[in-house]
Amino acid sequence: MAKIIALTNQKGGVGKTTSSVNIAASLAVSEFNTLLLDMDPQANASTGISEIIIKNSGYTVYDTLVNQISIKDVITKTSFEYLDIILSTNDLVGAEIELVSVIARELELKKALKTIKKNYDYIIIDCPPSLGLLTLNCLTAADELIIPIQAEYYALEGLGQLLNTIRLVQQHLNKKLNIAGVLITMFDGRLNLSKQVLDEVKSYFGDKLFETVIHRNVRLGEAPSYGKPALLYDANSVGTQNYMQLIEEIIDNGH
């Protein structure tokens, strides 16, 4: 039965999609059956692995949420034996409005995923950079959350609002929802600022902070433009090593 992990932060540019793609790819390389679900209307996770897609179903997550297409028919195969993806497009922007009249609309994704959970070890969800209905669906469907935070100015800005939303979801929609960990991204060990942000986040979140940090890395930034996860673009890059190390930590901690 799959463990569903959503990566969420309503602040853009924190490495959420990069982390979603590379966590999913690293799990797949470790021979865990993994599904990457792109719930972001910007569809960056979809384009970030476009070069390894081998069998496109022709459907996207929008078709499941709005047009009631079975989620089994929406899954797209990749050239990684253990990695599937459910694609997104900017059609998903309209889903927020179209779901408004649906009864129990925040449960649509959870209901869909329930039918395929047994087929995977992990389902990784790339949430939208907002706290709207799509993100609410992600939080309601997830078992655990990973919150990426960039090691830059204003790193903790808006986190209070996110944590409040998580608390509300835990109270009313998903009592089992747990924060798996907070992930520092774009870390530069040469900068005092990065170290200060790390210390600040550690004092705020304590043992919820992953020991692994994702270093600022050129190859990690280049990989999406080639439609590949970092480990296919450059298996020896610092970024690839960081995510493989993170996977070990996630598995060792029982996430």
Side-chain angles (χ1 to χ4, degrees), residues 76-243:
T76 292
K77 295 289 180 188
T78 77
S79 56
F80 270 29
E81 183 183 351
Y82 294 93
L83 180 63
D84 293 340
I85 183 171
I86 292 178
L87 300 168
S88 174
T89 65
N90 59 11
D91 287 347
L92 202 53
V93 172
E96 296 256 7
I97 299 161
E98 291 171 84
L99 285 172
V100 164
S101 59
V102 176
I103 296 168
R105 55 191 176 269
E106 63 280 347
L107 299 172
E108 288 298 299
L109 183 62
K110 183 174 187 172
K111 286 191 295 184
L113 290 179
K114 193 178 285 187
T115 64
I116 57 167
K117 277 183 79 169
K118 64 182 183 298
N119 301 335
Y120 296 97
D121 298 307
Y122 289 93
I123 296 174
I124 305 298
I125 305 177
D126 184 30
C127 298
S130 68
L131 291 177
L133 187 52
L134 291 176
T135 297
L136 204 56
N137 265 267
C138 297
L139 300 186
T140 304
D143 298 309
E144 297 187 336
L145 302 176
I146 292 176
I147 303 172
I149 297 177
Q150 82 282 30
E152 295 177 356
Y153 279 119
Y154 307 123
L156 299 178
E157 186 181 290
L159 268 183
Q161 189 183 0
L162 173 61
L163 294 173
N164 188 50
T165 300
I166 292 169
R167 275 191 293 272
L168 289 171
V169 169
Q170 288 168 328
Q171 287 168 16
H172 302 290
L173 295 168
N174 185 359
K175 288 180 169 59
K176 295 180 180 177
L177 182 63
N178 177 44
I179 296 177
V182 174
L183 177 66
I184 293 290
T185 62
M186 306 178 202
F187 184 83
D188 189 336
R190 300 166 299 178
L191 299 179
N192 283 333
L193 175 62
S194 282
K195 294 169 186 171
Q196 287 165 7
V197 170
L198 182 59
D199 289 342
E200 192 177 353
V201 173
K202 193 164 192 172
S203 67
Y204 194 89
F205 286 100
D207 61 2
K208 284 293 185 185
L209 180 66
F210 284 112
E211 288 181 23
T212 304
V213 298
I214 309 301
H215 290 79
R216 187 176 287 282
N217 177 242
V218 172
R219 309 300 267 176
L220 205 53
E222 288 175 346
S225 64
Y226 290 86
K228 296 176 180 178
L231 60 82
L232 266 188
Y233 179 61
D234 185 350
N236 297 315
S237 71
V238 171
T240 299
Q241 292 166 14
N242 288 164
Y243 280 110

Side-chain angles (χ1 to χ4, degrees), residues 55-70:
K55 188 181 176 189
N56 191 339
S57 66
Y59 291 120
T60 70
V61 68
Y62 173 87
D63 293 298
T64 290
L65 293 175
V66 176
N67 297 329
Q68 303 301 307
I69 300 292
S70 168

